[in-house]
């Protein structure tokens, strides 16, 4: 049996490149104006999974939880070399904190079944919490290794990895199944393969497939049955070509609705303040709060901060 | 049934047989919170060896009871045994707040423990406060809960997170954002072994084939923000201000040769010809006069803010923003302004 690998990936707003267009007049960030990207360290996790695949006969499935447009990162993963993608999406997931998210992802991983290794980026750039990895591992009741920098080798039931935790660097051999979080220093993610891009740009989630059929269908409202049949045909055809992304809802993964989304999230956001730093030649700043505030506003506007 | 004490608990991190600085900072923060709540500060230390001396240090910063777990197998951090012991301890001692340093180890263990206890966790807090929360929907007021304040969204916003309906309330806190309070060497506290551990059930499953321990890395070159202090900083204690500003801005601490020579901070932080040459997006020079050797190491920075009480200091020749004033007053203003509380 080939090793089954799952990479957990997240589509995130590109917070590291907050452009002037994305700043509102009041100094806050307009999230909608930021491009949605593949979370950078999740790409390092995917690269490590693909390295393992290159050396063994492992299969790599990328799983993401998010809105329907997160399908874009599944396609990108396919261009790089992943074997399959799964989208977990449901409006009931809205407002999920890391506990509710890890509960949901763990259910998705259980649904896949027999997974030997789960890889994720150390953290996502929109939240920077680094909590999903350890919490998914805990929910699955398996061991975790965070801050992994190098894959050494893998055997049937064990794996050897290098990691640095603070001031201690270790080469660790440990049992599978295991969850690891991968840092940006681990590797350089590969670029898209041209042939893979041509093929997998046609890959679709169930939601996308359905939308496309509805858009092109001429059957109208009297042909509901015909329409549903067309959708099924479309999905079947995508599946046969390996171009279908499994698309799971909360019920598909068997989620307890009390443990997902807002109800399943112990943490609440009480208040959000924009960092209004108060704004070259040498500019004299008065040593008082007003002066400093103005200087900070300028530094935000010219993108020195953020 | 007797009311639970609901103390504030700090997870103590050990570094080569010494208490990590961030853990002592957390004890000081926990003391403040506990005083507001009229409860005690507990700490738990897991270690490979006897920790009586370290425990006394922990007490001197404001801890009431140090719970210790000493076993040779705990010399180096391993997730599963550490998380299991801490989770079991929390279940038994029922604190209302649990704090961890936002270090690599803190960020490895805290989410695991929070998930096990099915409670919330806020990462990388830069400030903690006690306050009330009114839930208008439920028409309920939660008294004296923990405000967990952290930068979010790539540092573009500051969020206040709460965990109103779950206990304990858990947070990891960034290194250097809390100023160490004065040590009270004669402070009395209790040191107790936490003995309720079923060692057979503790999974030690990692085999470490090789281990190297290195000095704390200072990544000056990779930093996009560097906050540096110089001879104008009055004392080693006051150098904490530099560290606090760096931590608040998500930057790295730099220093001039004068600061290093005065023993304020290690040489690995030195910026300049004999130290590291850097070009961060933002360089903040605090009490640095700006000798040529220093300027050569930082004049390519994207933006330079200089704070100095001497208006003739050469650092102003390379700065974009000049603040003539006392850094001991200006830096707290900057921290306050950044946290958006001005």
């Amino acid at each position: 049996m080939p090793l089954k690998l799952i990479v957990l990936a997240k589509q995130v707003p590109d917070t590291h490149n907050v452009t002037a267009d994305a700043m509102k007049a009041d100094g806050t960030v307009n999230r909608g104006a930021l491009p949605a990207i593949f979370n950078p360290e999740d790409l390092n996790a995917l690269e490590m999974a693909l390295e393992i695949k290159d050396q063994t006969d492992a299969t790599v499935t990328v799983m993401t939880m998010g809105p329907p447009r997160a399908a874009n990162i599944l396609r990108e993963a396919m261009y790089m070399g992943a074997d399959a993608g799964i989208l977990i999406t449901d409006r009931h997931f809205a407002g999920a904190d890391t506990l509710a998210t890890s509960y949901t992802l763990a259910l998705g991983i259980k649904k896949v079944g027999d997974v030997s290794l789960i890889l994720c980026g150390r953290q996502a750039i929109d939240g920077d919490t680094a909590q999903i990895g350890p919490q998914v591992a805990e929910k699955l009741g398996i061991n975790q290794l965070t801050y992994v920098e190098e894959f050494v080798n893998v055997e049937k039931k064990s794996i050897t990895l290098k990691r640095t935790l603070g001031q201690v660097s270790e080469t660790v051999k440990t049992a599978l199944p295991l969850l690891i979080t991968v840092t940006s220093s681990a590797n350089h993610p590969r670029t898209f393969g041209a042939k893979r891009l041509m093929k997998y740009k046609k890959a679709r989630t169930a939601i996308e497939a359905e939308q496309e059929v509805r858009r092109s269908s001429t059957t109208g409202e009297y042909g509901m049955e015909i329409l549903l049949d067309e959708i099924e045909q479309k999905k079947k055809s995508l599946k046969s070509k390996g171009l279908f992304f499994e698309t799971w809802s909360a019920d598909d993964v068997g989620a307890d609705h009390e443990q997902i989304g807002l109800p399943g999230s112990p943490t609440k956001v009480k208040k959000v303040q924009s960092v209004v730093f108060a704004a070259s030649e040498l500019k004299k700043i008065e040593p008082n709060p007003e002066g400093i505030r103005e200087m900070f506003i300028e530094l935000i506007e010219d993108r020195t901060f953020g | 049934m007797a009311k639970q004490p609901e103390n504030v608990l700090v997870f103590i991190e050990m570094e080569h047989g010494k208490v990590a600085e961030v853990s002592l900072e957390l004890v000081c923060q926990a003391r403040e919170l506990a005083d507001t709540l009229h409860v005690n500060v507990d700490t738990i230390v897991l270690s490979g060896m006897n920790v009586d001396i370290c425990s006394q240090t922990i007490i001197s910063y404001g801890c009431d009871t140090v719970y210790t777990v000493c076993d040779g197998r705990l010399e180096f951090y391993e997730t599963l045994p550490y998380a299991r012991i801490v989770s079991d301890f929390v279940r038994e001692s029922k604190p209302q707040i649990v704090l961890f340093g936002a270090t690599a180890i803190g960020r490895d263990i805290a989410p695991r423990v929070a998930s096990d206890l099915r409670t919330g966790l806020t990462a990388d807090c830069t400030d903690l406060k006690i306050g009330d929360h009114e839930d208008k929907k439920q028409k309920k007021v939660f008294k004296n809960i923990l405000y967990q304040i952290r930068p979010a969204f790539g540092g573009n916003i500051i969020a206040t997170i709460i965990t109103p309906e779950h206990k304990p309330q858990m947070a990891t806190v960034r290194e250097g954002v809390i100023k160490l309070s004065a040590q009270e060497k004669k402070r009395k506290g209790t040191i107790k072994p936490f003995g309720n551990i079923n060692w057979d059930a503790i999974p030690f499953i990692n085999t470490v084939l090789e281990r190297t321990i290195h000095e704390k890395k200072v990544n000056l070159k990779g930093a996009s923000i560097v906050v540096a202090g110089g001879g104008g900083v009055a004392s080693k204690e006051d150098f904490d201000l530099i560290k606090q500003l760096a931590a608040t801005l998500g930057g790295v601490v730099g220093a001039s040769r004068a600061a290093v020579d005065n023993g304020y901070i290690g040489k690995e932080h030195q910026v300049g010809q004999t130290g590291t040459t850097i070009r961060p997006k933002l360089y903040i020079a605090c009490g640095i006069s700006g000798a040529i050797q220093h300027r050569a190491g930082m004049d390519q920075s994207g933006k330079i803010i200089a704070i100095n009480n001497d208006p003739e200091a050469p650092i102003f020749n390379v700065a974009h923003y000049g603040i003539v004033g006392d850094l001991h007053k200006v830096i707290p203003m900057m921290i306050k302004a950044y946290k958006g509380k001005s």
Side-chain angles (χ1 to χ4, degrees), chain A residues 123 127-128 135 138-139 142-144 146 167 169 171 173-174 268 270-271 273 277 283 285 298 302, chain B residues 15 107-108 111-112 115 150 158 160 162 206-207 209-212 214 303 320-322 338 340:
Chain A
Q123 64 187 38
D128 295 324
Q135 297 196 317
E138 196 281 329
K139 291 280 173 261
I142 64 172
N143 193 14
Q144 72 194 42
T146 52
Q167 287 152 271
S169 295
T171 305
K173 183 173 179 178
T174 194
K268 316 277 173 209
K270 178 169 172 63
K271 193 168 73 173
Q273 294 163 288
F277 299 103
K283 187 166 173 179
I285 302 294
E298 281 188 23
D302 70 20
Chain B
E15 269 172 7
R107 297 170 109 225
D108 184 88
R112 184 107 197 173
S115 175
R150 74 179 300 249
I158 300 280
T160 302
I162 50 171
N206 294 353
T207 309
L209 305 176
E210 198 188 327
R211 177 180 283 127
T212 49
H214 32 82
K303 281 282 151 62
H320 302 93
Y321 296 96
Y338 189 88

Side-chain angles (χ1 to χ4, degrees), chain A residues 213-289:
Chain A
V213 172
R214 282 183 190 277
R215 228 177 280 136
S216 61
S217 174
T218 50
T219 49
E221 55 186 297
Y222 299 108
M224 205 53 177
E225 266 176 47
I226 302 170
L227 187 69
L228 289 178
D229 188 53
E230 279 177 23
I231 291 168
E232 278 318 302
Q233 288 302 322
K234 169 94 178 177
K235 286 189 202 169
K236 225 172 146 184
S237 140
L238 285 167
K239 259 183 211 172
S240 69
K241 295 180 209 152
L243 295 173
F244 185 70
F245 295 132
E246 291 290 336
T247 310
W248 295 342
S249 66
D251 291 335
D252 289 335
V253 296
D256 167 7
H257 281 247
E258 285 304 303
Q259 292 192 57
I260 59 170
L262 217 45
S265 299
T267 60
K268 316 277 173 209
V269 178
K270 178 169 172 63
K271 193 168 73 173
V272 170
Q273 294 163 288
S274 52
V275 178
V276 182
F277 299 103
S280 313
E281 295 260 329
L282 179 68
K283 187 166 173 179
K284 220 179 150 199
I285 302 294
E286 288 307 315
N288 57 40

Side-chain angles (χ1 to χ4, degrees), chain B residues 56 59-62 181-188:
Chain B
Q56 197 48 54
I59 289 167
S60 72
Y61 280 99
S181 51
Q183 204 177 354
E184 242 185 273
K185 291 222 159 122
K186 287 183 185 151
R187 201 172 180 285
K188 291 267 177 284

Side-chain angles (χ1 to χ4, degrees), chain B residues 286-314:
Chain B
C286 311
I288 293 176
S289 61
I292 283 186
Q293 291 79 0
H294 186 78
R295 278 184 282 157
M298 46 62 78
D299 69 331
Q300 296 301 309
S301 305
K303 281 282 151 62
I304 296 165
I305 302 173
I307 308 165
N308 207 297
N309 52 18
D310 173 10
E312 303 299 321

Side-chain angles (χ1 to χ4, degrees), chain B residues 17-276:
Chain B
K18 277 172 70 182
V19 181
E21 177 120 348
V22 65
S23 299
L24 295 176
E25 293 167 6
L26 288 179
V27 171
C28 297
Q29 170 82 72
R31 183 73 262 160
E32 255 179 52
L33 299 172
D35 286 344
T36 310
L37 296 164
H38 307 292
V39 298
N40 287 338
V41 174
D42 293 340
T43 56
I44 180 152
V45 191
L46 278 62
S47 174
M49 55 186 178
N50 182 292
V51 287
D52 285 352
I53 295 166
C54 299
S55 300
Q56 197 48 54
T57 308
I58 296 165
I59 289 167
S60 72
Y61 280 99
C63 173
D64 298 302
T65 309
V66 182
Y67 291 88
T68 62
V69 184
C70 298
D71 185 288
R73 288 170 291 182
L74 299 175
E75 183 182 359
F76 289 97
Y77 174 78
E78 185 181 338
T79 305
L80 293 184
Y82 268 65
R84 175 73 65 85
I85 292 168
V86 172
S87 296
D88 286 350
F89 179 75
V90 170
R91 278 198 190 90
E92 196 172 305
S93 65
K94 297 193 170 47
Q96 58 177 306
I97 293 170
V98 186
L99 305 178
F100 298 79
T103 58
I105 287 175
R107 297 170 109 225
D108 184 88
I109 185 172
R112 184 107 197 173
V113 171
S115 175
D116 190 358
L117 301 168
R118 288 206 189 182
T119 188
L121 171 67
T122 304
D124 278 335
C125 293
T126 52
D127 200 3
L128 299 172
K129 281 197 179 114
I130 300 295
D132 298 340
H133 173 66
E134 188 187 351
D135 187 323
K136 287 184 178 132
K137 246 194 204 155
Q138 294 189 56
K139 295 205 173 92
K140 238 171 147 175
V141 177
F142 298 90
K143 288 269 182 207
N144 286 330
I145 59 167
L146 183 68
Y147 289 2
Q148 304 148 46
I149 300 158
R150 74 179 300 249
F153 212 65
N156 295 292
I157 56 171
I158 300 280
T160 302
I161 313 287
I162 50 171
T163 313
E165 295 179 88
H166 291 71
K167 289 277 164 67
Q169 307 161 86
M170 291 180 51
T172 67
V173 181
R174 271 197 203 169
E175 242 168 308
V177 295
I178 301 152
K179 202 172 155 71
L180 280 184
S181 51
Q183 204 177 354
E184 242 185 273
K185 291 222 159 122
K186 287 183 185 151
R187 201 172 180 285
K188 291 267 177 284
T190 315
I191 305 169
K192 270 189 203 168
F194 171 54
N196 201 359
I197 297 169
N198 175 10
W199 287 100
D200 292 338
I202 305 285
F204 290 91
I205 59 176
N206 294 353
T207 309
V208 175
L209 305 176
E210 198 188 327
R211 177 180 283 127
T212 49
I213 300 165
H214 32 82
E215 286 302 300
K216 231 179 196 169
K217 271 193 227 156
V218 183
N219 190 5
L220 274 173
K221 274 205 189 298
S224 61
I225 296 176
V226 173
V227 182
V233 179
S235 66
K236 191 173 179 185
E237 286 64 45
D238 285 340
F239 206 85
D240 280 352
L241 275 176
I242 310 290
K243 294 180 188 168
Q244 281 170 32
L245 181 58
T248 305
L249 301 177
V252 169
V253 175
S256 72
R257 187 171 164 183
V260 173
D261 287 350
N262 287 349
Y264 295 164
I265 196 156
K267 184 157 171 46
E268 67 276 21
H269 291 271
Q270 188 177 326
V271 174
Q273 271 174 353
T274 48
T276 309

